[in-house]
Amino acid sequence: MSELVPEPRPKPAVPMKPMSINSNLLGYIGIDTIIEQMRKKTMKTGFDFNIMVVGQSGLGKSTLVNTLFKSQVSRKASSWNREEKIPKTVEIKAIGHVIEEGGVKMKLTVIDTPGFGDQINNENCWEPIEKYINEQYEKFLKEEVNIARKKRIPDTRVHCCLYFISPTGHSVPWSGGSGRVGEDKVALTVLLFLGPSLRPLDLEFMKHLSKVVNIIPVIAKADTMTLEEKCEFKQRVRKELEVNGIEFYPQKEFDEDLEDKTENDKIRQESMPFAVVGSDKEYQVNGKRVLGRKTPWGIIEVENLNHCEFALLRDFVIRTHLQDLKEVTHNIHYETYRAKRLNDNGGLPPVSVDTEESHDSNP
Amino acid sequence: MDKEYVGFAALPNQLHRKSVKKGFDFTLMVAGESGLGKSTLINSLFLTNLYEDRQVPEASARLSQTLTIERRGVEIEERGVKVKLTLVDTPGFGDSVDCSDCWLPVVKFIEEQFEQYLRDESGLNRKNIQDSRVHCCLYFISPFGRGLRPLDVAFLRAVHEKVNIIPVIGKADALLPQETQALKQKIRDQLKEEEIHIYQFPECDSDEDEDFKRQDAEMKESIPFAVVGSCEVVRDGRNRPVRGRRYSWGTVEVENPHHCDFLNLRRMLVQTHLQDLKEVTHDLLYEGYRARCLQSLARPGARDRASRSKLSRQSATEIPLPMVPLADTEKLIREKDEELRRMQEMLEKMQAQMQQSQAQGEQSDAL
């Protein structure tokens, strides 16, 4: 991550009074232009964003990612193609694209996980995913620890994991769990499981991976639920995640100040998980061209907040929290991994000078 | 008295009256992952609230990962005809992380019903045999997948020779019309590829009119049925009360053939093929089971000794009727064959007598 060192302050023409904040009374210094300078730098270098999508096949993952980034960044598993078989184990497929908007270049990598949750026995199907995420951390760590390291370490770490919840799940308490269950937990769980909610697989995945990567749970194909059903389902999912101690992004413990906390609280307690509908087809509604799904009983508009929460998800991931996602990944998840690695090895991992890779920093 | 009129044209009416008095019983099984709208559909189909008092079983009861089989019965009466409908539910199917062999309890249940019937049929008191065999299985497929999932295929292959399967796509309002067509075609292709035999709706009689034949063909083409269920009454576009689901972008009407295949399913299952389903269960599936079972008993060998002892153990614990000693099963079969032959002879004699009396009647008229 590139850090800009602020330019040394020019000597003030007038001696500065102590504790004065309104420096424009004394003369304009120009410190605030640093924001503009950072922006220009970012525009020149561009930035990386890696997003992973996890969920059973057919939940509309690729369509949603395409809709999010308004371009064909994810190749849809051709739905009715007979040759496309469900892979026997979870595969990890990373596809990179460069997209540009307003002069800013983004190198977007979409990591797909076909085969997740599609088998009869899905035990430990999250392991290939966990392994992949840790491998990216390892790659970054190796690079960071090099003697002659690259100016800008290529960042392949997963910044965000969209987990797709099926809108038809039902739960079974303690499937695969061991140990005794407390009395009050039994009572609470009986109350919780009166309707659709998370499946055991969803809980297992999120339990294992919420400590390793930022997980944003998303309710897929939300056009099968009426407003009341949606509300109930979301409440139940939030409750279940809480009961199981699963922290999805934005995590409560990483709220930096009050402003963050209030903003994130509202998102955590009301909007998430976002109930989304994706589409890449446009229709004419009220004179406007909108993305939607045309059913015999009406047109579902993807960006209409009365129909689904796609706009909220998009704003959240791209327009407000993109940088934060990267920061939490770097400052917290990656650091956790690094600390663990250092502790395990009793020191730094073996240092190697890579001769295959050319370093332009070599004099 | 009318000369040509013998009177057995009234036989169907007699049968009809007898069966109306006796009532029908029908056992329907619903299977598929949770959350696909099975209960809502059953309530919509039979216009009852069968799942009103559905209790979530105690959490401790669900701790074990095995699938449970639940039975609930209801008596429905319509225009004097009583139907005793038994619903078999399979809660927990496909819910766990590891669903291997989760269909085995279902297969075991179906075979147990056959076994019970076989024992009843072979027993001494056959007046009131309760037919608890599963006549039809509605298998719910998720609209979100890309066709049949591995679990679906495994389940269907385990039960297709033991019960009539009608595949159904649940929560079909998740799909656009073109998506529905594509999914149906994919499922049909997969069923053919995996050689799964679903219930074949019989051909309509050649003397039916063209309209009926066309409708019949249309209905057959729409298998698997894409259904939406609802027990709520909402207002449709023309402000009429209909059963449906209201969304912010429109209202799905359950009974609108342009919205889903609910009407087709109801017509084919309840209105026209209830009896055929029972017959196929009895004539084809049960007979198949019976033949396999008796053949394995008749052949000597270590394997059969095991199955024989299994049968006797079960008989010892379960039959309230006087136990039939196993060595006599062969004798029983022979006795029944004898009985059948005697009955056939009697029938032939009766037919001959009728023909004679007819001929005599004609003679007396000619005079």
Side-chain angles (χ1 to χ4, degrees):
Chain A
M1 209 156 90
S2 54
E3 270 252 304
L4 283 175
V5 178
E7 312 257 29
R9 242 195 293 152
K11 257 194 140 132
V14 175
M16 215 170 76
K17 288 210 180 94
M19 302 306 288
S20 170
I21 308 171
N22 277 346
S23 50
N24 47 5
L25 289 178
L26 307 168
Y28 177 62
I29 298 176
I31 295 178
D32 53 353
T33 58
I34 188 154
I35 299 180
E36 185 60 36
Q37 295 171 30
M38 279 174 80
R39 206 174 75 82
K40 272 210 214 125
K41 264 271 163 94
T42 317
M43 275 174 65
K44 276 214 287 187
T45 52
F47 57 103
D48 298 337
F49 189 65
N50 306 319
I51 183 169
M52 178 185 262
V53 280
V54 182
Q56 283 181 310
S57 66
L59 284 180
K61 304 189 287 289
S62 307
T63 311
L64 187 75
V65 173
N66 289 345
T67 319
L68 260 180
F69 295 102
K70 284 227 164 85
S71 37
Q72 289 281 344
V73 290
S74 186
R75 192 184 71 90
K76 280 190 268 196
S78 170
S79 344
W80 319 117
N81 190 346
R82 299 205 49 211
E83 280 86 66
E84 296 271 352
K85 294 269 180 194
I86 294 177
K88 291 286 177 201
T89 53
V90 178
E91 294 175 355
I92 314 272
K93 289 194 182 153
I95 306 172
H97 291 261
V98 176
I99 49 184
E100 186 171 330
E101 193 185 61
V104 180
K105 265 205 274 279
M106 175 156 89
K107 181 165 173 293
L108 173 72
T109 308
V110 177
I111 302 150
D112 200 358
T113 53
F116 178 84
D118 286 330
Q119 310 306 322
I120 295 178
N121 182 354
N122 290 309
E123 231 150 54
N124 301 327
C125 66
W126 51 82
E127 277 177 5
I129 298 175
E130 201 176 345
K131 186 159 151 260
Y132 177 82
I133 294 175
N134 284 334
E135 274 171 7
Q136 308 316 306
Y137 288 150
E138 183 68 29
K139 242 195 259 186
F140 198 87
L141 182 62
K142 276 216 172 75
E143 198 51 52
E144 212 185 34
V145 154
N146 252 338
I147 296 178
R149 31 177 205 207
K150 295 200 183 124
K151 206 159 77 153
R152 198 170 149 253
I153 305 177
D155 192 357
T156 55
R157 299 170 296 185
V158 179
H159 300 125
C160 165
C161 174
L162 286 183
Y163 186 77
F164 284 69
I165 299 171
S166 167
T168 58
H170 266 249
S171 56
V172 170
W174 307 292
S175 72
S178 58
R180 296 197 42 81
V181 173
E183 272 263 308
D184 44 346
K185 206 165 176 198
V186 170
L188 178 64
T189 337
V190 170
L191 282 173
L192 286 178
F193 301 147
L194 282 174
S197 53
L198 293 174
R199 311 161 125 248
L201 179 62
D202 302 335
L203 282 174
E204 288 295 299
F205 177 85
M206 288 200 264
K207 242 190 264 183
H208 280 93
L209 277 126
S210 56
K211 297 280 181 237
V212 173
V213 70
N214 295 322
I215 296 188
I216 297 182
V218 155
I219 300 174
K221 301 219 166 164
D223 53 341
T224 53
M225 295 191 285
T226 61
L227 272 169
E228 301 85 34
E229 290 169 353
K230 233 187 284 199
C231 263
E232 263 187 57
F233 189 70
K234 289 199 333 178
Q235 259 181 346
R236 224 171 263 128
V237 169
R238 281 196 290 262
K239 221 12 188 307
E240 279 209 49
L241 291 176
E242 198 184 311
V243 163
N244 284 283
I246 296 172
E247 280 250 32
F248 51 82
Y249 179 84
Q251 296 93 333
K252 265 186 256 185
E253 37 185 344
F254 306 144
D255 284 335
E256 279 169 19
D257 51 30
L258 194 60
E259 195 192 315
D260 271 354
K261 188 168 179 312
T262 38
E263 189 194 330
N264 287 344
D265 265 347
K266 189 164 175 297
I267 297 176
R268 272 191 295 260
Q269 284 156 15
E270 289 171 20
S271 328
M272 286 185 81
F274 299 110
V276 295
V277 174
S279 170
D280 45 12
K281 295 205 169 51
E282 287 190 338
Y283 295 99
Q284 195 90 354
V285 172
N286 291 339
K288 286 197 302 171
R289 293 213 46 95
V290 288
L291 282 173
R293 281 169 68 74
K294 184 161 187 219
T295 65
W297 44 89
I299 297 185
I300 306 167
E301 298 166 47
V302 166
E303 298 191 19
N304 182 337
L305 280 172
N306 289 328
H307 291 187
C308 78
E309 294 164 357
F310 169 79
L312 288 180
L313 173 70
R314 180 199 50 207
D315 291 348
F316 180 70
V317 173
I318 299 179
R319 296 182 190 173
T320 54
H321 285 71
L322 193 72
Q323 185 58 26
D324 189 53
L325 278 164
K326 292 182 63 166
E327 279 180 13
V328 171
T329 307
H330 178 73
N331 294 334
I332 297 175
H333 295 302
Y334 170 67
E335 288 300 316
T336 314
Y337 177 81
R338 183 172 169 277
K340 200 159 88 63
R341 282 286 273 123
L342 296 187
N343 276 335
D344 283 345
N345 273 5
L348 292 170
V351 168
S352 59
V353 179
D354 288 315
T355 44
E356 315 100 69
E357 295 168 353
S358 57
H359 292 277
D360 43 355
S361 50
N362 269 340
Chain B
M1 195 185 86
D2 199 353
K3 308 130 201 187
E4 325 259 305
Y5 179 61
V6 175
F8 57 80
L11 198 58
N13 277 352
Q14 294 178 22
L15 270 170
H16 175 83
R17 241 181 293 140
K18 276 223 161 163
S19 36
V20 166
K21 274 210 289 186
K22 203 167 78 157
F24 290 96
D25 51 24
F26 191 79
T27 306
L28 176 69
M29 172 183 271
V30 274
E33 289 176 1
S34 329
L36 290 179
K38 300 191 293 290
S39 329
T40 313
L41 184 75
I42 296 298
N43 285 344
S44 312
L45 266 178
F46 298 107
L47 289 176
T48 66
N49 221 346
L50 269 166
Y51 289 87
E52 198 166 36
D53 56 351
R54 168 152 74 158
Q55 301 259 341
V56 176
E58 282 294 311
S60 48
R62 295 172 84 179
L63 268 178
S64 61
Q65 271 171 277
T66 56
L67 178 115
T68 53
I69 308 261
E70 284 178 4
R71 247 201 284 216
R72 55 189 97 225
V74 69
E75 285 220 4
I76 308 175
E77 182 169 334
E78 205 177 61
R79 294 200 212 159
V81 180
K82 280 204 263 289
V83 174
K84 181 165 166 289
L85 174 72
T86 310
L87 263 160
V88 179
D89 207 353
T90 54
F93 179 82
D95 283 343
S96 323
V97 177
D98 180 2
C99 299
S100 311
D101 294 341
C102 71
W103 51 87
L104 289 184
V106 178
V107 177
K108 187 160 153 265
F109 177 82
I110 297 174
E111 291 199 325
E112 274 174 4
Q113 308 315 306
F114 279 157
E115 205 182 298
Q116 179 70 44
Y117 195 84
L118 178 59
R119 257 184 280 146
D120 289 347
E121 211 187 31
S122 324
L124 297 178
N125 184 0
R126 307 200 300 183
K127 250 201 215 153
N128 295 317
I129 301 184
Q130 292 290 349
D131 186 2
S132 63
R133 296 171 297 186
V134 181
H135 299 119
C136 172
C137 174
L138 280 182
Y139 187 72
F140 280 69
I141 301 166
S142 169
F144 305 123
R146 301 243 165 78
L148 296 176
R149 295 217 174 112
L151 179 60
D152 300 332
V153 173
F155 177 86
L156 291 173
R157 299 201 76 176
V159 299
H160 69 141
E161 309 263 272
K162 306 197 162 77
V163 72
N164 291 314
I165 298 177
I166 297 183
V168 154
I169 301 173
K171 294 207 169 165
D173 52 349
L175 301 169
L176 304 176
Q178 60 268 35
E179 293 170 349
T180 314
Q181 282 311 314
L183 181 60
K184 284 187 185 182
Q185 187 59 44
K186 182 86 207 278
I187 293 177
R188 282 197 287 258
D189 290 342
Q190 275 177 302
L191 289 173
K192 215 183 337 171
E193 205 181 295
E194 302 280 347
E195 292 180 354
I196 293 172
H197 302 130
I198 57 173
Y199 172 67
Q200 297 296 329
F201 290 93
E203 298 300 322
C204 46
D205 299 325
S206 49
D207 55 353
E208 299 281 359
D209 61 38
E210 283 304 315
D211 229 9
F212 185 85
K213 277 198 209 163
R214 195 182 36 86
Q215 242 184 9
D216 193 66
E218 259 175 36
M219 280 200 261
K220 290 212 184 96
E221 294 247 318
S222 59
I223 295 171
F225 298 111
V227 291
V228 176
S230 170
C231 290
E232 287 172 21
V233 178
V234 292
R235 299 248 158 211
D236 73 351
R238 271 174 280 175
N239 216 25
R240 291 175 305 182
V242 287
R243 277 190 306 142
R245 289 171 62 74
R246 163 170 291 123
Y247 294 107
S248 327
W249 48 87
T251 306
V252 182
E253 299 163 41
V254 167
E255 296 185 13
N256 183 335
H258 296 294
H259 288 187
C260 73
D261 295 329
F262 175 81
L263 279 184
N264 279 352
L265 173 66
R266 186 171 66 182
R267 198 171 331 162
M268 298 211 93
L269 177 63
V270 178
Q271 293 169 3
T272 48
H273 292 88
L274 217 54
Q275 184 58 24
D276 187 62
L277 282 164
K278 290 186 68 170
E279 281 178 12
V280 172
T281 308
H282 182 77
D283 297 336
L284 206 66
L285 305 168
Y286 168 69
E287 287 301 316
Y289 171 83
R290 183 174 168 277
R292 280 196 298 272
C293 200
L294 296 179
Q295 240 176 8
S296 67
L297 287 175
R299 261 184 291 118
R303 195 171 71 91
D304 305 299
R305 235 173 278 134
S307 56
R308 253 193 259 207
S309 59
K310 175 168 156 256
L311 198 59
S312 69
R313 234 185 297 126
Q314 284 178 331
S315 327
T317 49
E318 281 164 35
I319 301 190
L321 304 165
M323 199 170 78
V324 177
L326 213 52
D328 288 287
T329 315
E330 297 230 19
K331 199 173 107 186
L332 252 176
I333 300 174
R334 264 180 280 131
E335 279 180 358
K336 285 183 72 173
D337 282 351
E338 273 292 315
E339 227 187 301
L340 258 167
R341 225 175 11 91
R342 264 182 272 133
M343 278 174 53
Q344 260 183 317
E345 276 180 49
M346 261 194 353
L347 211 69
E348 283 173 40
K349 250 193 271 175
M350 272 172 52
Q351 272 185 326
Q353 270 182 352
M354 277 200 300
Q355 282 179 341
Q356 249 189 337
S357 54
Q358 220 183 356
Q360 277 179 353
E362 282 178 2
Q363 275 185 348
S364 56
D365 287 324
L367 290 174

